[in-house]
Amino acid sequence: MKRTTLLILFFTAFSILAQDKLKTTTAVVNFEASVPFFEEVKAVNKLGTIVLEPETSTLTCTVGMKDFIFKMDLMQEHFNENYIESHRYPKAVFKGKIQKFDLKDIDETEKEYDVTGKLYLHGKYKIIDMKALIKRVPEGIQISCNYPISVSDFNISIPSMVAAKISKTANTNLLGVVKTTEEMKYLTLK
């Protein structure tokens, strides 16, 4: 029994290492721009895409702006029409490099990596630095990142009437488990 389990783990690890891209289309992206004493400004998007290219240490994340869900429909409408203008800028994209990354070093122990790249949001690019926590989980490779986004960096206008009710910085976090293409095909067939 132990030998069979060991062989399965070995072949799973080998197949992950042999692939040139790991991907998910179900990454969860949360953001919060709340301020004390006012209505919570918080949304979640469960359709984020993460692509990890281990050979080049490249991490790409794409998020559809209309896929953010708020508790209040009116808040979601204002987010898409007035602030993010998702009809003009439908996606946010981050593409960067994970420093000192080697897929062979990834195991069940979470490791912190520095990531530097460009974030495209609301028609603007900005170089950002963030930390990523990466570890191996039974489903694949888990990636978690937190980063603050300043609305002024991306020319996102907040009307003066509500400016005191919305933070100038949106705290954003991303969580996803990337898999090989073959593993994704198998899971969609189930």
Side-chain angles (χ1 to χ4, degrees), residues 44-178:
V44 63
N45 181 329
K46 296 180 180 179
L47 299 172
T49 299
I50 301 174
V51 178
L52 173 62
E53 299 177 50
E55 198 168 292
T56 61
S57 302
T58 301
L59 179 67
T60 306
C61 306
T62 306
V63 180
M65 302 313 293
K66 285 188 177 182
D67 296 324
F68 278 100
I69 306 298
F70 291 77
K71 282 195 305 189
M72 298 173 55
D73 291 341
L74 186 59
M75 202 176 281
Q76 189 165 328
E77 183 181 320
H78 286 282
F79 172 79
N80 283 301
E81 292 178 10
N82 302 336
Y83 306 130
I84 292 296
E85 300 175 274
S86 54
H87 61 284
R88 291 178 63 193
Y89 312 108
K91 293 181 181 177
V93 179
F94 172 81
K95 185 169 186 175
K97 294 278 187 183
I98 305 171
Q99 308 303 314
K100 300 178 183 172
F101 179 78
D102 190 338
L103 190 58
K104 292 180 285 204
D105 295 337
I106 303 301
D107 57 24
E108 293 79 20
T109 304
E110 194 169 66
K111 294 178 180 71
E112 185 178 81
Y113 291 89
D114 292 320
V115 182
T116 301
K118 273 187 183 180
L119 175 61
Y120 174 79
L121 175 66
H122 197 246
K124 303 289 178 202
Y125 284 96
K126 179 170 174 44
I127 302 289
I128 63 170
D129 296 310
M130 64 181 161
K131 302 284 185 193
L133 298 174
I134 302 174
K135 70 178 179 178
R136 187 174 303 279
V137 293
E139 301 82 26
I141 305 295
Q142 179 179 295
I143 301 171
S144 173
C145 306
N146 295 310
Y147 47 96
I149 295 175
S150 174
V151 295
S152 63
D153 288 343
F154 297 96
N155 293 343
I156 299 170
S157 299
I158 299 175
S160 59
M161 186 172 21
V162 294
K165 299 177 182 180
I166 301 172
S167 175
K168 308 293 182 266
T169 301
N171 293 314
T172 309
N173 64 59
L174 164 80
L175 177 65
V177 177
V178 293

Side-chain angles (χ1 to χ4, degrees), residues 16-67:
I16 289 174
L17 293 173
Q19 299 294 321
D20 36 30
K21 288 185 184 180
L22 304 172
K23 180 179 179 179
T24 186
T25 56
T26 58
V28 176
V29 180
N30 291 289
F31 88 83
E32 184 170 10
S34 303
V35 294
F37 309 113
F38 289 103
E39 188 74 41
E40 182 179 65
V41 179
K42 192 174 180 179
V44 63
N45 181 329
K46 296 180 180 179
L47 299 172
T49 299
I50 301 174
V51 178
L52 173 62
E53 299 177 50
E55 198 168 292
T56 61
S57 302
T58 301
L59 179 67
T60 306
C61 306
T62 306
V63 180
M65 302 313 293
K66 285 188 177 182
D67 296 324

